[in-house]
Amino acid sequence: MNLNIGTVKDIVTLVGVFVGPWIAVRISVGQYAIQRWWERRADTYARLLEALSILRWNASQEYNKMLHLSSFEHTEPPDKDPSLIVLAKLAAQGNYMISERAVKALTDFIRTFTDEPALSIGDTIVRQIDAADLCLNVIREEANTHVKSDLGFFRFPQRHGLAKTSKKEA
């Protein structure tokens, strides 16, 4: 078979017309899936931080009320608080959306928050506030570690304010 240069160019062009867009679509779909996963993970950590912050604020207001520094009235019993229910649901997912360390911190917090009251209500509230602070710190660290590390699919992470700088540059 005798192929001339014009025929070879036509074949290469024809292959390029089909293969190029196919590769582009595959890459775009993959990047979209990664971005959606990152968004869901970031949203989960944001919901955790919001619910923990609400519970911590409620506990601190109860403590201030006990010390006669506030007239805060909490309408829900602590174990029926909607924020605690959100936390329990997210903890039940395990490490599907959040890290194993975050799940453990969350489980420990829920256990501490719903345990039987200590001898005094003040001790119970202080224990709940301390547990919330500990859990908030762990969740923040894990969110920073995992959500930022998932941004690796972006070509230019410095555009998002997340570029790492060396100690010499800082």
Side-chain angles (χ1 to χ4, degrees), residues 126-140:
V126 168
R127 188 182 68 208
Q128 290 173 344
I129 292 171
D130 290 344
D133 287 340
L134 179 66
C135 191
L136 276 166
N137 288 335
V138 170
I139 298 296
R140 281 187 194 115

Side-chain angles (χ1 to χ4, degrees), residues 19-150:
V19 173
W22 181 80
I23 290 172
V25 167
R26 299 291 293 173
I27 290 171
S28 295
V29 168
Q31 191 169 11
Y32 174 77
I34 290 169
Q35 186 174 0
R36 292 293 297 156
W37 176 255
W38 176 83
E39 288 170 357
R40 288 181 60 202
R41 211 167 183 188
D43 180 59
T44 300
Y45 276 111
R47 288 175 37 213
L48 282 171
L49 290 170
E50 179 183 12
L52 279 166
S53 297
I54 289 169
L55 288 170
R56 194 221 179 274
W57 187 83
N58 287 345
S60 66
Q61 291 302 310
E62 283 291 331
Y63 189 73
N64 289 340
K65 180 181 163 191
M66 186 184 74
L67 297 175
H68 305 293
L69 299 174
S70 169
S71 60
F72 174 74
E73 289 294 328
H74 190 63
T75 57
E76 294 283 339
D79 61 338
K80 302 285 190 233
D81 193 298
S83 295
L84 191 61
I85 294 168
V86 167
L87 293 179
K89 286 179 182 178
L90 293 173
Q93 292 178 0
N95 63 348
Y96 175 66
M97 292 301 279
I98 59 177
S99 71
E100 191 65 40
R101 183 172 175 236
V103 171
K104 182 179 178 341
L106 203 51
T107 305
D108 292 346
F109 168 77
I110 292 169
R111 188 177 308 117
T112 300
F113 203 82
T114 58
D115 272 351
E116 290 297 318
L119 294 176
S120 76
I121 190 71
D123 290 341
T124 300
I125 294 172
V126 168
R127 188 182 68 208
Q128 290 173 344
I129 292 171
D130 290 344
D133 287 340
L134 179 66
C135 191
L136 276 166
N137 288 335
V138 170
I139 298 296
R140 281 187 194 115
E141 289 172 10
E142 293 300 297
N144 282 329
T145 300
H146 291 99
V147 173
K148 285 183 181 179
S149 71
D150 287 348

Side-chain angles (χ1 to χ4, degrees), residues 151 154-165:
L151 288 175
F154 285 113
R155 293 256 188 239
F156 303 104
Q158 63 272 16
R159 288 179 49 210
H160 303 282
L162 301 174
K164 293 183 179 179
T165 58

